[in-house]
Structure formats: C-alpha cells, structure tokens
C-alpha cells in the first residue's frame, strides 16, 4: 500500500506525499473549471492575437513549463503550420542581444509568473516589438504585468514542489488558445475531466508497475510526436521526486546512438500515442524488444500486450493532440508511487524550489 491515495482523507494529510497526492486528485475538477469558466476568455485572447497576424512564434519557459511549451510547439506547427522555436533566454538576459521581434508572438509559460529571467526575457521581447502572451497560474504576477496579453490557467494554489495540476492546466489552456487561433470552439476537450478521473481511479495498477523501479538506478523514457513532451515531463517528475536519473529521448533520437546503452533488462518506459506518433514509434519499440529491454508501455492495448508490462490509456476516441493531457496522469502517479516505495517524500524533494531564479 502507498502512504495515501489521490483522494486521501484529512487524517492522512501529514503522511509523506499527501500534498502531491491531493493536488493530482484535483485535476479533473480543475480541467472542468477551465472548460467551464476560462475557455471563452482564452478564445477572446486568441482572437485578439490572431488579428495581429504574427509571422511565427517563440516559446519561453523553464522546467515543467518548458515541457508544456514544447506541447504548444507541436500544436502550433501541426495545426496552424506556424513556425515555432524555443527561446534561449540567456541571449537576452546574459548576452543582452536584442533581436528584431516585430510581428513575432512570444509566449511565456510559467506557473508562478515570478521567475526573474522569464520576466526580463519577456520585457526585452516586448521592447523589441514582439506580441507577448503570458500563460501563468497568477494573473497578478510580474510576468503577467510585463506581457501584453495574459491567460490564467486557473489551477488554484499549488503547494507541492513537483508540479502536477499546473502542468495539465497549462496544456489545456495552450490547447484552447491554439484551437482558438484556428477558429475552434474547444468542444473536442469536453470529455477530458471524466477521463482524467478514470485514470486516477486506477492507481492500484500504477502501484504495481512502480514496484519494478524500487531499486532502479537509471531509466529511459521515450516517445514521438505529441507524446514527446509527456516523456520529458515524466522523466522530470521521476528525477525530482525519486532522484532516479531518467533520460528522455524522442524515439528518433534514441536510435541515433543512445540505444547502445539499452541492454538486457534495462528499464524503458514508452509513451505510445494512439495516432501518427505511435505509428512513428513502432520501429523503436521493435528495436527495444530485440535488445531485451524491460519495456513498459503507456499507450494502446495492442502495444501494451507486446511489452513486458504496461498501462492502457483510454484514448480510443480522443484526438491525438489532446492525449498528452491524459498520458501524463498515470506517469505522475508512477513518480509518486516509486518515490513512496523508495522510502522518500515526494512533497519535499531535496534542492527543489517552486520559483527558479536563474539569470
């Protein structure tokens, strides 16, 4: 048994992991709140930005928010054919470069909106002519103040050091924004809250998988397409809670050298989207099976059956672009359960702060 379940009682509130557990459990309600109360405002912001006709997009973030920004990059490039890049903040904050950003949309994603380098980078971008949009959990933050536009992800206070609900909230807010840029109404996301709850209700399955990694010294997590940001975020969660070195690779990159480190019984987690990303990942999974890797799949029933073990995701009727909001939930649970199994406290990972003050 784990120390607590995501819907843990007040009696369990002092046990290790209770804060992270509670915040994971809030995700279905949070997703519903965004769809019910925030979607129309996000579409209004999208319409204002679309009217400015940006030439391309730059995305700025750190840590978990960086993985959410990567998801937005896939959305913007695939759905809108809009060129996107991930910024190198030190070019403006450390090297004081001032690129010409006229008619460029700069989206900065930050849970707190308080990181000095994000604020400085966004301020410099706006001064260089960019259309600036902040996506934060704090509309009163310094980042929101220096940005021309702001989207509130409406996740509510997040007290656990490992970000969980703010990640899924960021994904949904970014999806609704891009969908709004494309003239959509966000209807495809309506079933997400119920599906998220169904995943949380399967924690016992995740706990069984977590036992495989109690003594793990290293892990590899891989995916392709829309699943790649999920792989990166899952690796980050495992590293910052359980301290297991977890390396995340695109399946294509994994085949270009790093596959050599994967041998017999090497632990590998594959996030297999139900769609083109999963199809592109299939040759990688075959190579991993050939090498005898301990392959655990989070994805379709077909791929789980061919792996050493796995977790079937309820994505049959979910658009591939929305699947990352579901893929990450059992992987958050996995990070939590692995950490508890190793006798550690996911609420208090060492050397981790909510606001990273890099310059």
């Amino acid at each position: 048994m784990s120390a607590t379940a995501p819907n843990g009682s007040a009696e369990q509130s002092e046990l290790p992991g209770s804060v992270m557990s509670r915040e994971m459990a809030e995700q279905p309600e949070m997703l519903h709140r965004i769809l019910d109360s925030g979607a129309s405002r996000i579409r209004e912001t999208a319409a204002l930005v679309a009217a400015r006709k940006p030439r391309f997009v730059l995305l700025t973030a750190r840590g978990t928010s960086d993985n959410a920004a990567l998801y937005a990059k896939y959305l913007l490039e695939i759905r809108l054919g809009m060129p996107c890049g991930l910024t190198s903040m030190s070019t403006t904050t450390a090297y004081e470069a001032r690129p010409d950003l006229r008619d460029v949309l700069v989206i900065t994603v930050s849970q707190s909106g308080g990181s000095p380098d994000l604020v400085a980078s966004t301020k410099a971008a706006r001064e260089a002519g960019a259309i600036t949009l902040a996506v934060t959990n704090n509309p009163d933050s310094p980042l929101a103040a220096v940005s021309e536009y702001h989207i509130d992800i409406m996740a509510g206070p997040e007290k656990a050091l490992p970000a969980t609900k703010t990640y899924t909230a960021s994904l949904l807010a970014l999806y609704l924004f891009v969908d709004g840029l494309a003239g959509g109404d966000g209807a495809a996301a309506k079933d997400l809250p119920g599906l998220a709850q169904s995943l949380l209700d399967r924690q016992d399955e995740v706990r069984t998988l977590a036992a495989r990694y109690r003594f793990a010294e290293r892990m590899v997590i891989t995916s392709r397409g829309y699943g790649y940001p999920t792989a990166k975020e899952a690796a980050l969660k495992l590293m910052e809670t359980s301290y297991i070195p977890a390396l995340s690779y695109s399946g294509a990159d994994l085949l270009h050298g790093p596959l050599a480190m994967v041998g017999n019984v090497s632990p590998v987690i594959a996030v297999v989207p139900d769609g083109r990303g999963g199809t592109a990942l299939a040759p990688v999974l075959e190579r991993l099976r050939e090498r005898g890797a301990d392959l655990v799949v989070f994805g379709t029933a077909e791929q789980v059956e061919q792996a050493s073990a796995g977790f079937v995701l309820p994505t049959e009727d979910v658009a591939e672009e929305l699947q990352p909001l579901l893929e990450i939930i059992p992987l958050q649970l996995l990070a939590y359960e692995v950490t508890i199994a190793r006798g550690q406290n996911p609420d208090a990972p060492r050397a981790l702060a909510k606001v990273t003050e890099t310059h």
Side-chain angles (χ1 to χ4, degrees):
M1 289 291 291
S2 62
T4 183
N7 56 356
S9 65
E11 182 180 347
Q12 297 170 315
S13 62
E14 299 303 317
L15 294 177
S18 60
V19 179
M20 180 181 179
S21 177
R22 182 173 61 251
E23 291 180 350
M24 287 189 292
E26 293 174 7
Q27 290 176 104
E29 179 184 353
M30 175 207 69
L31 295 173
H32 178 76
R33 180 167 61 247
I34 295 169
L35 291 170
D36 186 54
S37 303
S40 61
R41 289 195 294 272
I42 294 173
R43 283 196 298 272
E44 290 170 3
T45 301
L48 292 172
V49 171
R52 304 279 293 275
K53 298 180 179 180
R55 293 181 291 130
F56 57 89
V57 181
L58 292 174
L59 294 139
T60 305
R62 295 282 194 201
T64 285
S65 295
D66 200 33
N67 298 327
L70 180 59
Y71 167 70
K73 184 176 187 291
Y74 276 88
L75 282 173
L76 288 157
E77 291 181 344
I78 295 170
R79 289 203 58 183
L80 301 180
M82 186 174 286
C84 298
L86 301 175
T87 60
S88 302
M89 279 174 280
S90 62
T91 61
T92 55
T93 59
Y95 293 92
E96 299 182 352
R98 291 297 180 263
D100 182 358
L101 296 179
R102 286 173 293 179
D103 302 321
V104 175
L105 173 59
V106 173
I107 301 174
T108 306
V109 186
S110 170
Q111 171 197 333
S112 68
S115 180
D117 62 336
L118 293 174
V119 174
S121 177
T122 301
K123 184 174 184 291
R126 189 171 182 181
E127 292 171 350
I131 306 162
T132 53
L133 169 66
V135 180
T136 82
N137 197 37
N138 183 0
D140 298 320
S141 63
L143 179 60
V146 300
S147 300
E148 188 173 0
Y149 301 103
H150 176 259
I151 289 175
D152 182 0
I153 66 173
M154 303 177 67
E158 186 170 61
K159 297 180 180 179
L161 289 174
T164 53
K165 65 178 183 176
T166 52
Y167 179 70
T168 47
S170 297
L171 295 191
L172 181 54
L174 288 163
Y175 167 79
L176 292 170
F177 174 72
V178 176
D179 187 62
L181 290 177
D185 61 2
K190 64 181 176 59
D191 293 331
L192 290 176
L195 291 170
Q197 186 61 58
S198 73
L199 291 167
L200 290 166
D201 291 342
R202 295 166 60 191
Q203 186 169 7
D204 286 349
E205 293 180 50
V206 178
R207 187 175 303 125
T208 299
L209 291 175
R212 308 172 75 91
Y213 307 116
R214 182 175 181 182
F215 302 106
E217 297 181 356
R218 180 185 66 191
M219 295 173 65
V220 171
I221 305 178
T222 188
S223 189
R224 290 205 68 179
Y226 281 112
Y228 182 42
T230 305
K232 291 177 68 66
E233 176 62 11
L236 177 60
K237 284 292 152 287
L238 282 160
M239 287 190 288
E240 67 186 6
T241 57
S242 68
Y243 320 132
I244 298 173
L247 307 175
S248 58
Y249 293 100
S250 157
D253 288 334
L254 185 61
L255 293 180
H256 286 81
L259 186 68
M261 71 178 174
V262 178
N264 186 33
V265 306
S266 295
V268 179
I269 292 175
V271 180
V272 186
D274 188 359
R276 295 187 184 187
T279 301
L281 191 63
V284 182
L285 301 178
E286 182 60 31
R287 290 288 300 277
L288 289 168
R289 287 190 289 264
E290 289 173 357
R291 296 185 68 86
D294 177 24
L295 177 62
V296 170
V297 165
F298 286 70
T300 64
E302 179 183 0
Q303 288 294 346
V304 168
E305 289 174 1
Q306 298 179 56
S308 304
F311 185 98
V312 177
L313 294 167
T315 53
E316 298 86 354
D317 299 317
V318 180
E320 186 177 356
E321 64 195 24
L322 283 168
Q323 291 176 26
L325 283 95
L326 302 176
E327 294 163 351
I328 192 57
I329 291 175
L331 288 161
Q332 292 172 345
L333 291 172
L334 182 71
Y336 166 86
E337 290 291 352
V338 169
T339 305
I340 293 295
R342 290 163 74 95
Q344 297 158 337
N345 183 1
D347 286 342
R350 59 178 179 253
L352 183 63
K354 291 296 279 188
V355 178
T356 304
E357 298 189 359
T358 53
H359 296 276

